[in-house]
Amino acid sequence: MTTQYSHLVNAESKSALVKALQDWRSPVSDYSAETFVPLLNSLDPKHNTLAYAQVLVDALGLAVSVNEFETLAEPLSRFATQIQLEQVESFPEILRRLTRALAQMAQLSENSAQACIVLVDMVGALNQQMALTRLAPITIEDIIQHKQRLGVGSSHGVRLTPLHIECLRQCLLARRCWIYERVANEIVATRLDAIGRLDTQRLRPFLEYHHYAGMVCAGLGRIEQALQMWRMVFAVPTRFVSAIQIASFKRFTLAHVIMHGKRGTLPPMFVPAHVRSIESVAAAYVALADVCASRQLGAAVKSVRDMSSELARDGNAGLAQRLLDELPAHCVRACADVYTRLPLRHLAQVVKFSDHPRGGAGDGTDDVVDALGRYIQEMNDPCVILEETDTGAMVVRFVDAQATVPPVQGAAQSANIPGVPLEEQWSMAIATRAQEANVLQKYLQELDHHLALTRDYVSRSRDV
């Protein structure tokens, strides 16, 4: 076997190695995966990244059993942490081959978690190396002089690779919380510096990446971060509506209702005709969002039940359940626009809590009132305060008609008026929201700069 791979392992130059890889056809179809281990152990993945990667691809292509995949686990782990960007850039196609091989491994071994761990290590190593190639911030002078071009096909900064997208996909298939956490913190949290993918100039990978990233964040309950990821799917104009954009819009709509109680709007740069087309395809989701915005609990619950098959088919049943859980909170907060103080029994009738699955049976009965009281306590909203009067009746007091600021950990409460946030708490909450807005604004501004500096962006977008 060493002889069969000698011209690959002992290539005289980088160009000779690339030529050999371009014309490569695996010569060892009669071997088993275990026979590759001695050859892999003799190679240094740090100095022979391309050759090592191709041997791995061939070995994974022959593996058919769990034992064979376990045999290759150590070489895979070693390669994942020592992969070299500089060598990969000379032949980016190797990343596509690796992606296919790892996806096959996950499918045959029925172990997406193992594949995802390897992919996280690979992507993390590549991201660290790509981050070192970042350019200085773009200035107006750079734009005028056409310097520091970033965008589609950029060779600077953190760029997408096929491994990024497959990593997120295997993470979703693994369905393990600790893997979600690691991927979200190590991969999704890394800022991208260019649109497109390292081995191609098409925009589809950009859409796929942010769509999957939003799903990972939503799986962890980070709905606001998921909204940011799904919003980025619409931050790049496309000639035609993509199926990825339709799927993202459905999830974006549900997530926006969860966070804000109403349907969200897409970025203004997105083509209005495309917006109408997407809303037409996702008409049921738009109608559900409008019903939720009207604060009709019964109608919203009925809409979700009527959509149950569509939600399950789209993989959005979990988000829909979260929407139902959060909708009464928006209905309760909406009462602050009319009332400053309201008996709990009356509030249960106003929001029609009996129509909600958590409302028990009967409108205004003790069971419904008690259930609403428990729900308000779980809301933990400092602007919606549940109190007991001298007569023993429960009353809901709304601190401020416009206040929906969540409690800030570590902030003190007023000694005279329990539950009323101090000025310090308001300042901390406002500062937190302002910081989140600034991060998103900076991300969008960088994206706009990248697009503005790419002359062939519009023509490339038709490939999505």
Side-chain angles (χ1 to χ4, degrees):
M1 180 180 293
T2 303
T3 303
Q4 294 168 312
Y5 280 85
S6 60
H7 66 293
L8 191 66
V9 175
N10 302 317
E12 297 180 355
S13 64
K14 182 182 294 186
S15 59
L17 175 58
V18 170
K19 182 64 170 61
L21 288 170
Q22 289 174 339
D23 301 332
W24 185 254
R25 295 293 183 272
S26 179
V28 289
S29 57
D30 296 332
Y31 289 83
S32 63
E34 289 91 340
T35 57
F36 286 86
V37 175
L39 177 59
L40 288 170
N41 291 336
S42 67
L43 293 174
D44 183 356
K46 189 172 184 178
H47 296 93
N48 299 280
T49 293
L50 292 178
Y52 197 101
Q54 185 58 59
V55 176
L56 265 180
V57 169
D58 291 345
L60 290 171
L62 294 177
V64 293
S65 67
V66 174
N67 290 335
E68 288 180 309
F69 288 122
E70 290 178 352
T71 302
L72 297 172
E74 193 278 330
L76 268 173
S77 178
R78 187 153 52 99
F79 175 76
T81 57
Q82 298 185 45
I83 183 172
Q84 295 299 303
L85 173 67
E86 182 181 2
Q87 298 180 50
V88 167
E89 286 181 321
S90 62
F91 187 65
E93 172 63 22
I94 197 65
L95 297 180
R96 191 189 299 270
R97 297 178 185 178
L98 271 171
T99 300
R100 287 196 296 262
L102 289 170
Q104 177 181 312
M105 180 189 80
Q107 182 179 7
L108 294 178
S109 66
E110 298 182 348
N111 191 348
S112 293
Q114 180 185 10
C116 185
I117 292 170
V118 172
L119 286 162
V120 171
D121 290 337
M122 286 188 190
V123 173
L126 289 174
N127 280 349
Q128 289 180 359
Q129 296 173 58
M130 287 190 286
L132 299 177
T133 67
R134 281 176 174 154
L135 298 173
I138 300 175
T139 65
I140 297 298
E141 291 75 14
D142 295 327
I143 296 176
I144 294 174
Q145 299 175 16
H146 301 286
K147 292 182 178 179
Q148 297 183 347
R149 294 182 180 274
L150 291 179
V152 179
S154 171
S155 59
H156 299 282
V158 179
R159 292 142 282 158
L160 288 179
T161 72
L163 298 175
H164 284 73
I165 299 167
E166 188 62 29
C167 176
L168 297 183
R169 196 174 75 87
Q170 293 301 330
C171 172
L172 294 169
L173 292 174
R175 297 180 179 273
R176 297 188 184 181
C177 185
W178 66 272
I179 293 181
Y180 274 52
E181 288 277 0
R182 186 179 175 192
V183 170
N185 295 334
E186 298 182 20
I187 308 303
V188 177
T190 301
R191 174 175 60 87
L192 298 177
D193 296 294
I195 300 171
R197 196 167 63 191
L198 188 145
D199 64 337
T200 181
Q201 294 186 353
R202 298 182 180 178
L203 293 176
R204 181 183 178 88
F206 181 86
L207 305 185
E208 286 183 324
Y209 175 80
H210 286 91
H211 177 68
Y212 289 147
M215 293 176 67
V216 171
C217 295
L220 291 171
R222 303 177 185 179
I223 304 299
E224 191 63 45
Q225 189 177 357
L227 274 174
Q228 295 178 12
M229 293 294 108
W230 287 325
R231 189 177 283 113
M232 291 303 298
V233 174
F234 306 95
V236 289
T238 57
R239 187 175 180 181
F240 303 106
V241 174
S242 169
I244 302 171
Q245 292 171 328
I246 294 174
S248 294
F249 176 80
K250 293 177 178 180
R251 292 184 167 92
F252 173 82
T253 300
L254 294 176
H256 202 279
V257 174
I258 292 172
M259 292 301 300
H260 306 289
K262 59 183 180 180
R263 177 157 55 107
T265 57
L266 299 181
M269 74 282 291
F270 197 63
V271 181
H274 292 355
V275 176
R276 292 191 294 270
S277 298
I278 292 174
E279 289 179 347
S280 175
V281 175
Y285 287 82
V286 173
L288 173 61
D290 291 339
V291 169
C292 293
S294 67
R295 305 292 186 257
Q296 301 177 35
L297 279 180
V301 172
K302 183 178 182 302
S303 295
V304 171
R305 287 174 178 170
D306 292 342
M307 291 177 59
S308 59
S309 59
E310 182 176 358
L311 291 166
R313 184 173 62 252
D314 295 337
N316 294 332
L319 275 177
Q321 183 59 51
R322 177 73 182 273
L323 180 150
L324 286 181
D325 292 341
E326 295 292 336
L327 188 56
H330 294 295
C331 295
V332 170
R333 294 189 184 104
C335 292
D337 296 335
V338 180
Y339 305 97
T340 57
R341 187 182 178 91
L342 195 65
L344 183 61
R345 183 177 296 273
H346 189 188
L347 179 62
Q349 297 173 349
V350 170
V351 301
K352 293 183 171 54
F353 196 63
S354 60
D355 294 336
H356 193 267
R358 295 192 56 178
D363 185 18
T365 63
D366 291 340
D367 289 340
V368 175
V369 174
D370 292 342
L372 180 57
R374 292 191 296 270
Y375 183 87
I376 291 176
Q377 291 177 335
E378 293 173 7
M379 283 173 58
N380 195 27
D381 190 333
C383 298
V384 182
I385 304 169
L386 185 63
E387 301 175 328
E388 185 176 358
T389 64
D390 296 337
T391 61
M394 301 303 296
V395 176
V396 176
R397 180 162 54 86
F398 302 100
V399 173
D400 191 301
Q402 303 298 325
T404 57
V405 179
V408 178
Q409 186 176 4
Q413 297 289 328
S414 172
N416 299 325
I417 309 178
V420 178
L422 296 174
E423 182 178 354
E424 176 188 359
Q425 181 172 350
W426 288 106
S427 300
M428 292 173 63
I430 292 172
T432 300
R433 293 293 179 265
Q435 185 178 8
E436 293 174 354
N438 289 336
V439 171
L440 181 59
Q441 182 182 22
K442 182 179 178 181
Y443 195 24
L444 290 175
Q445 286 176 344
E446 291 174 350
L447 179 61
D448 289 340
H449 285 162
H450 297 174
L451 296 180
L453 295 175
T454 307
R455 293 179 178 177
D456 60 344
Y457 168 69
V458 176
S459 62
R460 297 289 186 183
S461 65
R462 70 186 60 180
D463 294 332
V464 178

